[in-house]
Amino acid sequence: MTVVSVEHALAGRIPAGGEVTVRGWVRTRRDSKAGLSFVNVSDGSCFAPIQVVAPAALPNYESEVKHLTAGCSVIATGTLVPSQGQGQAFEIQASAVEVTGWVEDPETYPIQPKAHSLEFLREVAHLRPRTNLFGAVTRIRHCLAQAVHRFFHERGFYWISTPIITTSDAEGAGQMFRVSTLDLANLPRGKDGAVDFSRDFFGKETFLTVSGQLNVEGYCLALSKVYTFGPTFRAENSNTTRHLAEFWMIEPEIAFADLAADADLAEDFLKYLFRAVLDERADDMAFIAERVQKDAVTRLEAFINAPFERIDYSDAIGLLQKAGKKFEFPVEWGLDLQTEHERWLTEEHVGRPVVVMNYPEHIKAFYMRLNDDGRTVAAMDVLAPGIGEIIGGSQREERLDVLDARMAQFGLDPEHYGWYRDLRRYGGVPHAGFGLGFERLVVYVCGLSNIRDAIPYPRAPGNAEF
Ligand code: 4AD
């Protein structure tokens, strides 16, 4: 007996003797008048389940096989043979079907063989991976994560694990979750009434990271090409379809590089990832195209084949003002672009991905490099048709005096950022990087309408169960 995955069985990888064992969960069972049962079994290794043909001669046919329902777990052994049925190349003629786990009450089993609403499936996040959609999204997510590491590895980048617990607010936006071992009911307080964090675990007030960027800059200024890929936390109270409180971010950082090199890297990176999905997950993408987003495959192909357009922020404002379209939010130099503006630029005006560069300095983070005009910074956002902003990045301010002035402007205490300033004091170089929100990428590839379906267990305001 050779245990094989459903993926290998469906590909017809027949071992010597032709006998295989597959293990998985029942999707459907159909009984024929001829005294056979057709049991579709999925183990999640690929999109399709395999058909197990169980004959009435099996000793547990009447007692067990004929009672199998969706969700039961089974171990099926038999001969792998070319299938007569449509839509699959191979099936298993079973010589044994062992039931390893029954479904307690088939009537109330949440994952029935029918379409469920995504809202409902979010309430059973622990069982939704058994559906076609979440199986596909999970495998696509995995494929993308592998491609992320491969892309960087092939180009000589090193993966840096940056800390999750930190004292610094990398984005200076004050959206951090506090980490503390202090007893909330008996918080130690100083004379001024403020909480005395010196008695806390780390001896300082600490938070969950909002970005690994500042830490990865240190490694960039030693290993030249680096990236982080890890969990990131933001306590922004945005109960939207685009925001998570816990998401994964990919942040490459390159030394001796400017904003143009950064934009080139972002373009190569996204195209590489989309190519990988199309090449490696054709089965799942075909399902997405059939059930979720009709043009799921063609739009990725179009993305890969289109050179990104680069537009200066100031020019983008001019274009939006002349668009002749009524936007909900005002368009004015100095204001940030809203999703409706970004989508107009990328979808209606250009019709392909756009990199908007050189934003007003006062709407961007303190670490971004001040341009010679004194009023913009070397920042970029990559906008994609169908989603808007997907990547945010910048060239970093490498001049200590300018960085200090920017920190003062943002009200940041240089004492807090001593180590970050050191990177400018000891062999600083121009360097740049960007951040790609991993779930935004999954949303885009899978044509999802809510980011909560792009991560296994979403964390959002009021939502931390499972
Ligand atoms: O634009 P952001 O805030 O940039 C940074 O954090 C920089 N430190 C990146 C860098 O230059 N190394 O965030 C980067 C990306 C966004 O473009 C978006 O894709 C994603 O992170 N993102 C979120 N994704 C899900 N939920 C949220 N709440 C997100 N906030 C940002």
Side-chain angles (χ1 to χ4, degrees):
M1 155 182 127
T2 311
V3 177
V4 295
S5 65
V6 168
E7 183 184 22
H8 285 183
L10 284 174
R13 295 201 198 169
I14 304 179
E19 188 164 86
V20 295
T21 295
V22 294
R23 304 180 292 198
W25 292 265
V26 171
R27 281 286 176 84
T28 55
R29 191 200 84 236
R30 182 170 61 81
D31 306 320
S32 84
K33 290 199 188 85
L36 288 173
S37 289
F38 301 96
V39 186
N40 275 332
V41 176
S42 164
D43 66 357
S45 57
C46 59
F47 180 77
I50 193 159
Q51 178 165 279
V52 174
V53 184
L58 292 180
N60 61 344
Y61 183 76
E62 286 297 333
S63 60
E64 294 193 324
V65 174
K66 280 188 82 174
H67 300 280
L68 286 172
T69 56
C72 291
S73 49
V74 293
I75 299 177
T77 299
T79 316
L80 189 63
V81 296
S83 176
Q84 314 286 320
Q86 281 208 328
Q88 64 169 4
F90 287 86
E91 65 184 23
I92 293 173
Q93 301 281 354
S95 53
V97 176
E98 182 191 332
V99 183
T100 47
W102 290 99
V103 163
E104 233 176 57
D105 177 10
E107 295 286 304
T108 58
Y109 177 57
I111 311 296
Q112 298 290 334
K114 62 166 196 174
H116 295 284
S117 77
L118 295 171
E119 290 74 18
F120 167 74
L121 290 175
R122 265 170 236 142
E123 288 166 20
V124 287
H126 58 308
L127 294 173
R128 68 180 183 172
R130 298 181 183 197
T131 62
N132 277 331
L133 177 65
F134 284 91
V137 170
T138 304
R139 284 181 295 271
I140 289 170
R141 187 181 161 106
H142 166 85
C143 167
L144 286 167
Q146 294 291 324
V148 165
H149 289 299
R150 218 169 44 238
F151 173 87
F152 288 125
H153 182 69
E154 285 170 3
R155 283 159 186 74
F157 284 67
Y158 292 105
W159 178 28
I160 311 302
S161 307
T162 48
I164 284 172
I165 299 176
T166 177
T167 56
S168 51
D169 182 354
E171 291 304 303
Q175 298 171 325
M176 308 180 84
F177 287 104
R178 182 168 285 127
V179 176
S180 179
T181 51
L182 295 178
D183 173 6
L184 272 180
N186 285 301
L187 287 174
R189 294 196 181 266
K191 282 198 192 89
D192 56 359
V195 178
D196 177 7
F197 282 102
S198 69
R199 310 245 305 264
D200 204 353
F201 187 92
F202 293 106
K204 273 188 176 162
E205 193 176 11
T206 50
F207 307 90
L208 296 180
T209 186
V210 293
S211 159
Q213 179 201 318
L214 303 194
N215 293 99
V216 94
E217 282 186 51
Y219 274 72
C220 174
L221 296 193
L223 281 79
S224 301
K225 293 193 279 186
V226 294
Y227 70 105
T228 68
F229 184 4
T232 310
F233 307 86
R234 294 199 184 173
E236 52 199 333
N237 203 9
S238 340
N239 215 339
T240 76
T241 55
R242 289 166 48 80
H243 294 87
L244 288 165
E246 179 180 304
F247 61 101
W248 285 62
M249 187 150 53
I250 300 144
E251 297 182 274
E253 193 73 26
I254 39 179
F256 303 100
D258 60 11
L259 190 63
D262 203 26
D264 287 344
L265 181 69
E267 181 169 351
D268 290 350
F269 181 49
L270 287 172
K271 290 181 173 179
Y272 182 96
L273 298 181
F274 293 163
R275 183 78 267 152
V277 171
L278 292 177
D279 288 350
E280 296 164 29
R281 293 270 39 118
D283 58 347
D284 292 315
M285 287 306 292
F287 171 77
I288 298 285
E290 192 189 309
R291 295 290 178 83
V292 187
Q293 174 118 27
K294 246 198 195 126
D295 64 347
V297 171
T298 48
R299 73 186 182 138
L300 291 192
E301 274 161 359
F303 193 107
I304 293 168
N305 294 324
F308 287 16
E309 177 88 8
R310 282 151 211 229
I311 302 181
D312 227 63
Y313 165 87
S314 302
D315 296 334
I317 292 295
L319 290 168
L320 285 158
Q321 284 170 338
K322 280 189 252 137
K325 191 171 168 146
K326 204 159 162 33
F327 293 111
E328 189 185 336
F329 292 92
V331 178
E332 203 179 298
W333 199 97
L335 297 180
D336 211 351
L337 299 181
Q338 302 296 324
T339 305
E340 57 172 345
H341 308 138
E342 295 175 340
R343 293 189 68 160
W344 179 83
L345 278 170
T346 180
E347 287 164 23
E348 294 182 44
H349 182 64
V350 182
R352 54 199 160 91
V354 172
V355 190
V356 180
M357 304 167 103
N358 301 312
Y359 283 79
E361 52 86 21
H362 62 277
I363 58 169
K364 289 290 181 182
F366 73 95
Y367 53 72
M368 299 186 176
R369 193 179 197 276
L370 194 63
N371 287 324
D372 291 345
D373 61 13
R375 60 183 209 144
T376 61
V377 283
M380 66 166 190
D381 278 351
V382 178
L383 317 178
I387 186 168
E389 185 214 313
I390 187 163
I391 280 182
S394 63
Q395 184 173 341
R396 320 307 187 188
E397 185 54 76
E398 84 280 14
R399 299 160 297 185
L400 186 59
D401 54 335
V402 186
L403 181 69
D404 281 346
R406 294 273 294 156
M407 286 180 25
Q409 180 190 337
F410 281 79
L412 299 174
D413 181 358
E415 289 267 301
H416 255 101
Y417 294 85
W419 65 270
Y420 188 66
R421 295 177 69 253
D422 274 358
L423 301 174
R424 279 70 185 164
R425 294 171 62 210
Y426 307 132
V429 299
H431 59 291
F434 63 78
L436 167 64
F438 190 51
E439 286 71 24
R440 296 248 174 111
L441 178 76
V442 174
V443 159
Y444 187 64
V445 171
C446 298
L448 300 171
S449 49
N450 193 324
I451 198 165
R452 295 179 197 197
D453 300 327
I455 188 164
Y457 296 99
R459 296 289 177 258
N463 200 336
E465 268 179 67
F466 301 105

